[in-house]
Amino acid sequence: MTVVGGKGGVLFYWFLKFIALGPLLRVIFRPKATGIDNVPTEGPAILASNHLSYADWLFMPLSLPRRVTFVAKSEYFTEPGLRGWFKKTFFGGTGQVPIDRSGADAASGALLSAKRVLADGGLFGIYPEGTRSHDGRLYRGKTGVARLALETGVPVIPVGVVGTDVLAPPGKVFGRWTRPRVHYGKPLDFSRYAGMENDRYILRSITDEIVYDIMELSGQEYVDKYAAVAKQEAKEAGGGDEGKLAS
């Protein structure tokens, strides 16, 4: 598998996962995973997960023997000098690739980067909600995950992460100790919709099916509203929160 960030980034990923960071996280937090057999041992797949905390991208990949790749802002990979090298190595080493800025916008650029990962036979992680939940509820999914599934023809594995918002609540670095759990659902095959990636009704239907399975796995309350909208409403009402850009 070819990974943006070079051989050094790949080696750093495995170093963090199995030597430096992974064993420490396992000892301290004792994360638990179920349904790991639903994730293929080889070949491409999309891991579609809920998004409760910045800690999600630590514990979800930690539970799998394979590398999981996410997208990150391209600026993390293009800064010159020694600082830029450290950033590129760190983000590449933690399983992230830059958004392809040859796309018309960030969303299409993220899809281009994701397609590259999947074409190389990798696991690609995506948060259909598009941003972290500010209140622990599950929000309406964006259709990028459906378009990616139809354009690549790879299976989608729903993932429900539980407890990361207790460990690292939105707006805080640390919260309270808990044992995070990651639940992998059965792969979803959308090949019956092949060639219909431009039908917005089909994209919405697929996205809703994926999010429903995520809800079943995570046990979250579902809100039929985009997370970014709900977050902005909470901010205007005095709740306040910060978000994370995702495709």
Side-chain angles (χ1 to χ4, degrees):
M1 173 179 168
T2 303
V3 180
V4 178
K7 184 177 180 181
V10 175
L11 293 175
F12 188 47
Y13 177 87
W14 298 118
F15 171 75
L16 288 176
K17 186 168 184 174
F18 293 114
I19 299 176
L21 185 59
L24 185 64
L25 292 174
R26 289 188 179 94
V27 169
I28 295 176
F29 298 108
R30 298 186 296 114
K32 180 180 180 181
T34 63
I36 294 177
D37 290 346
N38 290 322
V39 182
T41 56
E42 60 182 18
I46 300 167
L47 300 178
S49 175
N50 58 328
H51 198 13
L52 294 171
S53 164
Y54 72 83
D56 295 338
W57 62 269
L58 288 174
F59 288 103
M60 192 251 276
L62 187 65
S63 63
L64 298 173
R66 297 182 61 186
R67 176 183 172 118
V68 181
T69 302
F70 299 86
V71 292
K73 293 188 297 185
S74 59
E75 288 80 0
Y76 292 152
F77 296 82
T78 57
E79 184 176 327
L82 184 60
R83 180 179 176 181
W85 179 85
F86 275 113
K87 279 188 176 182
K88 178 179 178 180
T89 302
F90 175 78
F91 284 102
T94 52
Q96 302 186 58
V97 295
I99 291 174
D100 188 331
R101 290 300 184 183
S102 65
D105 51 37
S108 61
L111 286 176
L112 287 172
S113 297
K115 288 179 184 178
R116 191 172 297 121
V117 171
L118 295 169
D120 284 339
L123 295 177
F124 182 77
I126 188 170
Y127 302 115
E129 293 168 276
T131 185
R132 286 178 292 177
S133 171
H134 68 287
D135 58 6
R137 297 186 293 177
L138 182 68
Y139 286 89
R140 195 176 197 223
K142 295 186 176 182
T143 58
V145 62
R147 182 175 296 278
L148 180 62
L150 291 187
E151 292 185 359
T152 60
V154 307
V156 178
I157 299 167
V159 184
V161 179
V162 180
T164 52
D165 55 333
V166 176
L167 288 176
K172 296 182 180 180
V173 178
F174 300 108
R176 295 180 288 109
W177 185 92
T178 191
R179 186 180 187 184
R181 302 181 301 281
V182 184
H183 305 296
Y184 296 94
K186 294 187 179 299
L188 300 174
D189 178 12
F190 298 108
S191 59
R192 62 190 183 278
Y193 298 120
M196 304 177 73
E197 58 271 13
N198 292 320
D199 187 320
R200 61 190 181 96
Y201 296 105
I202 293 296
L203 294 178
R204 171 48 53 196
S205 176
I206 291 173
T207 303
D208 289 346
E209 182 177 343
I210 294 169
V211 171
Y212 179 84
D213 276 20
I214 293 173
M215 180 187 70
E216 291 284 288
L217 293 165
S218 68
Q220 291 170 276
E221 176 188 350
Y222 176 73
V223 180
D224 193 20
K225 181 185 296 186
Y226 288 117
V229 173
K231 188 176 295 188
Q232 182 60 34
E233 290 175 352
K235 184 177 180 181
E236 292 173 353
D241 188 39
E242 59 180 10
K244 175 181 177 181
L245 175 67
S247 61

